[in-house]
Amino acid sequence: MSPEQILSSAPPELIVRLLDKRQIRIRKRWAIIQLNLWLQQGWVTAQGEGIFLLTDAGEQTFQHYLLNQNERSLELLLQQLDIQLPAQCNSRILAYLLKQDPKTTQEQMREHDINVLRDSYLLLRCNLPCSIFMQSGELIDVSSLFSAWGEVAIPERAISAITKILWKEKPPQHVITIDNRDAFVSMALPADTLLLHAPLLNTTMAEQLLRSLTDSIHWRHFGDLSPESLHLAAAFAERLQRPLALFLPDNWSDYLRLLGEPLAANEKWAFAGLTRQQQISLQFLFENQQKLPQQVMVYAKNWIHLT
């Protein structure tokens, strides 16, 4: 294979990445094959453990190639603007820079070991005094915030730095994740409970915090009683490697009878992810081919833990 063929077979983004970083770590098989071809040409040197270093000859070759190709790679734009991307980037900032859909941007940035963030917040409610212990060794007392505001918002960028939650008197018996923001702020806070706002379409932050809690704090989830919601809740439980338990009003069937909604034409009940007991308890829902939004259940007086 000629040098020209070797260059033309490589994605421009990989060339731009190497020009930008000068030293990169490669994990994917196709990229390792490409870098080994460059190694044979003397354009890079191997540093071990999948790390390759750009040589002066390689820099000249790649820059000349991109110039001749009139390459307009979005990643090349970053190099031309002399932008150094940080290890953590806001997804929409990246999308504007790269003129891409945010989801496409996230997939591309994973190749560069960049953590793409929505810069959202994890919302907590609790009636027990506690402090948050950070990796830096800092201990943050959030008890007064719970008392004064009723909830605490933790920035997404800080979640990964939380080591554990220290309870001043006793830990909660339950942690309950709630899918909907309106339901999260409106539900009466049960005793000895930590509530987390965890939208089922993106539970990343909730998962990170839940992993810092001991298994002795039982997890429950509150969301819509619908095929999609229960499917997503079961997947949530699988990622946590915890059994799925549902937090429901004791008289949820009364709510269904009065406020239930028929399933849409494209909706169908399935039992995957539900325990035998949950299937039996929710049989009334399945038989009537209905669903129940979580918002109508938030003011219930008595609740059950359906395991």
Side-chain angles (χ1 to χ4, degrees):
M1 186 180 291
S2 67
E4 291 75 16
Q5 289 174 318
I6 293 174
L7 282 171
S8 62
S9 66
E13 292 82 2
L14 185 59
I15 295 175
V16 172
R17 179 184 173 193
L18 189 57
L19 284 170
D20 181 37
K21 303 291 186 181
R22 297 198 65 84
Q23 178 174 291
I24 59 176
R25 182 188 296 274
I26 297 298
R27 296 187 178 90
K28 294 198 172 182
R29 185 173 180 274
W30 68 265
I32 291 176
I33 294 173
Q34 188 67 61
L35 266 294
N36 281 324
L37 291 174
W38 293 352
L39 180 65
Q40 295 171 16
Q41 298 294 322
W43 299 337
V44 296
T45 59
Q47 306 296 303
E49 298 183 353
I51 298 174
F52 292 86
L53 179 67
L54 179 68
T55 65
D56 291 340
E59 182 175 12
Q60 293 178 6
T61 299
F62 292 146
Q63 287 180 342
H64 182 71
Y65 171 75
L66 292 178
L67 184 63
N68 287 344
Q69 294 295 313
N70 194 28
E71 175 60 44
R72 288 294 178 261
S73 163
L74 295 175
E75 289 185 293
L76 180 59
L77 174 65
L78 299 180
Q79 184 189 18
Q80 292 170 334
L81 292 173
D82 193 25
I83 294 175
Q84 180 68 45
L85 294 178
Q88 297 190 108
C89 295
N90 179 281
S91 60
R92 292 195 176 277
I93 293 293
L94 279 176
Y96 273 103
L97 281 171
L98 303 176
K99 296 183 179 180
Q100 291 182 350
D101 178 85
K103 290 185 178 179
T104 304
T105 301
Q106 290 187 33
E107 294 172 0
Q108 187 181 45
M109 289 300 102
R110 289 192 190 99
E111 299 288 331
H112 297 250
D113 295 326
I114 291 175
N115 187 19
V116 182
L117 304 173
R118 295 177 303 143
D119 280 316
S120 185
Y121 296 88
L122 178 65
L123 301 176
L124 293 74
R125 294 177 59 200
C126 193
N127 49 22
L128 298 171
C130 62
S131 297
I132 296 177
F133 187 66
M134 307 296 290
Q135 287 179 353
S136 61
E138 187 176 4
L139 192 62
I140 302 173
D141 190 333
V142 293
S143 304
S144 57
L145 295 179
F146 281 135
S147 299
W149 297 341
E151 66 181 51
V152 170
I154 302 178
E156 183 178 0
R157 292 177 183 245
I159 296 293
S160 60
I162 293 177
T163 301
K164 57 184 174 181
I165 298 179
L166 301 177
W167 307 96
K168 295 185 178 180
E169 298 171 1
K170 61 178 181 178
Q173 293 182 19
H174 305 284
V175 55
I176 299 173
T177 52
I178 300 180
D179 179 27
N180 179 269
R181 162 71 174 162
D182 300 330
F184 171 81
V185 299
S186 301
M187 180 186 290
L189 180 60
D192 300 328
T193 297
L194 170 65
L195 295 185
L196 299 182
H197 178 221
L200 284 175
L201 292 178
N202 192 325
T203 59
T204 303
M205 289 188 291
E207 289 172 33
Q208 290 177 303
L209 190 74
L210 283 166
R211 291 191 180 100
S212 70
L213 302 176
T214 64
D215 291 341
S216 61
I217 301 176
H218 303 294
W219 170 57
R220 309 288 184 254
H221 180 72
F222 176 70
D224 295 342
L225 291 180
S226 71
E228 180 185 18
S229 181
L230 290 183
H231 172 73
L232 291 173
F236 184 16
E238 186 175 355
R239 291 192 297 273
L240 289 172
Q241 297 184 330
R242 287 196 180 204
L244 174 62
L246 304 176
F247 190 62
L248 295 174
D250 184 41
N251 62 332
W252 69 268
S253 59
D254 292 332
Y255 283 91
L256 181 63
R257 179 171 51 84
L258 296 169
L259 298 169
E261 301 173 0
L263 296 183
N266 61 343
E267 290 182 301
K268 183 178 180 181
W269 278 110
F271 298 134
L274 298 180
T275 66
R276 179 62 178 164
Q277 183 58 51
Q278 288 167 349
Q279 293 177 31
I280 294 172
S281 299
L282 298 177
Q283 190 64 35
F284 182 74
L285 186 73
F286 306 145
E287 289 176 350
N288 287 274
Q289 289 297 294
Q290 288 184 302
K291 58 185 177 181
L292 189 64
Q294 61 200 277
Q295 290 91 334
V296 302
M297 298 184 279
V298 295
Y299 295 130
K301 294 180 178 179
N302 300 305
W303 296 80
I304 57 172
H305 302 271
L306 185 55
T307 58

